[in-house]
């Protein structure tokens, strides 16, 4: 697949933070995408990575100073700003972001930034308390008001030994975000079916059997597929979430039987199907026509098994790339792998309720991606948007 970054001139600014070690991989990904890369380092960035490494990978001399040598030849910041189609500052420290916000121009990178007419992106990186500090947040808001685009920091282990938000976005996430924003559509022409949310199995007109799923993971998957150019059918159980797009068919259902009918009516026409819904395994054998009155100290409901929608999708699979989800509380890898095989899936996304910040009702998730080859990819705690991105990267690898 060709990249929208091909032939783009990217000026990569590297500032003095420990996350500067990731810059080498970011340069490599930009070059792999076909971009021209010019690295500009602040003086303190030299403490964290060597210009030799970055010059070798970018195939251009790394620039730091205004003056090249004793002859007086200089690195013209205006020319560099005009050369760039895109400026990316990664990592962007609190110090650099403050300079950008308040007009302090004391190094070559800042002179280029203040001369720039092209889009500018920053990837902040700092410890979690710095990332939450009101002064930093004010700087961030100021540069956003000036038109700078911010690549949010991620959750993870930090140099301080703490764990939380502030970690620079991973290089592959930066590249994917830029590609998506600049217009690459790797799923253009593809049809994607996604199930989301819980199902409600009615006991009577008032009560139901359900679970804690909000549908957020499925909605983030749908957003990511739409961003990548797909035509999406999102079949969701009861959820307060909203989504609209001219490439989206949104189908709202209540019960597992409703969801089964909606899925199977569309499945044969799909290229990709992702079953992230938390479908109830059982439903009441009969639904009472009227509200059941509280008349005794105990009450028994007979349950019958719901249709296994994912298993049926696996049986009827022809060309579809089929992704399932598993939520386990013990022997997680074993049970998820069994589900992968028994239901004829191509990929299974394993959630574990053992991990803080994962599971139902959270903005984040921590998952392991298991493929039919047996390969496991354990992801750190990420936003559900970034989990959706990683899932689709596996899908794209298969499609390519």
């Amino acid at each position: 697949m060709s990249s929208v970054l091909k032939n783009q001139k990217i000026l990569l600014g590297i500032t003095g933070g420990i996350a500067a070690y990731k810059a080498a991989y970011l340069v490599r990904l930009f070059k792999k995408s076909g971009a021209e890369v010019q690295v500009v380092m602040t003086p303190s960035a030299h403490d964290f990575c060597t210009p030799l490494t970055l010059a070798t990978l970018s195939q251009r001399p790394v620039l730091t100073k205004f003056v090249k040598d004793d002859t007086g030849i200089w690195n013209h910041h205006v020319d560099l700003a005009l050369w760039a189609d895109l400026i990316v500052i990664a990592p962007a420290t609190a110090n650099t972001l403050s300079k950008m916000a308040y007009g302090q121009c004391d190094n070559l990178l800042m002179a280029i930034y203040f001369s720039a007419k092209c889009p500018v992106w920053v990837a902040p990186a700092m410890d979690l308390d710095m990332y939450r500090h009101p002064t930093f947040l004010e700087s961030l808001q100021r540069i956003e008001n000036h038109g700078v685009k911010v690549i949010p920091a991620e959750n993870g282990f930090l140099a301080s030994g703490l764990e939380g938000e502030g970690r620079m976005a991973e290089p592959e996430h930066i590249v994917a975000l830029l590609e998506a924003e600049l217009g690459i559509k790797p799923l253009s022409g593809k049809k994607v079916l996604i199930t989301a949310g819980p199902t409600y199995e009615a006991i009577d007109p008032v009560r139901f059997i359900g679970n804690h799923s909000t549908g957020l993971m499925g909605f983030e998957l749908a957003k990511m597929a739409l961003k990548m150019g797909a035509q999406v059918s999102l079949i969701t159980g009861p959820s307060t979430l909203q989504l609209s797009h001219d490439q989206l068919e949104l189908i709202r259902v209540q019960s597992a039987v409703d969801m089964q009918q909606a899925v199977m009516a569309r499945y044969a026409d799909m290229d990709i199907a992702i079953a992230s819904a938390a479908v109830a395994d059982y439903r009441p054998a009969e639904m009472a026509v009227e509200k059941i009155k509280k008349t005794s100290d105990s009450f028994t409901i007979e349950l019958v098994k719901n249709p296994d929608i994912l298993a049926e999708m696996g049986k009827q699979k022809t060309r579809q790339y089929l992704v399932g989800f598993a939520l386990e509380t013990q022997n997680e890898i074993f049970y998820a792998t069994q589900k992968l095989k028994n239901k004829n899936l191509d990929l299974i996304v394993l959630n574990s309720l053992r991990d803080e910040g994962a599971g139902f009702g959270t903005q984040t998730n921590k998952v392991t991606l298991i493929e039919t080859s047996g390969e496991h990819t354990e992801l750190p705690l990420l936003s559900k948007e970034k989990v959706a991105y990683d899932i689709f990267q596996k899908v794209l690898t298969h499609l390519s």
Side-chain angles (χ1 to χ4, degrees), residues 12-16 20 39-52 54 62-65 107-109:
L12 176 61
I14 303 172
T15 68
V39 176
V40 177
M41 300 175 72
T42 63
S44 59
H46 288 244
D47 295 332
F48 299 95
C49 58
T50 68
L52 177 60
L54 297 163
V62 170
L63 308 180
T64 297
K65 299 178 180 179
N107 61 46
L108 178 60
L109 179 59

Side-chain angles (χ1 to χ4, degrees), residues 267-273 316-322 346:
Y267 181 60
D269 199 32
M270 294 295 152
D271 300 294
I272 301 158
Q316 296 193 27
K317 184 172 72 172
T318 53
R319 58 187 175 79
Q320 297 89 347
Y321 187 86
L322 181 57
D346 297 291

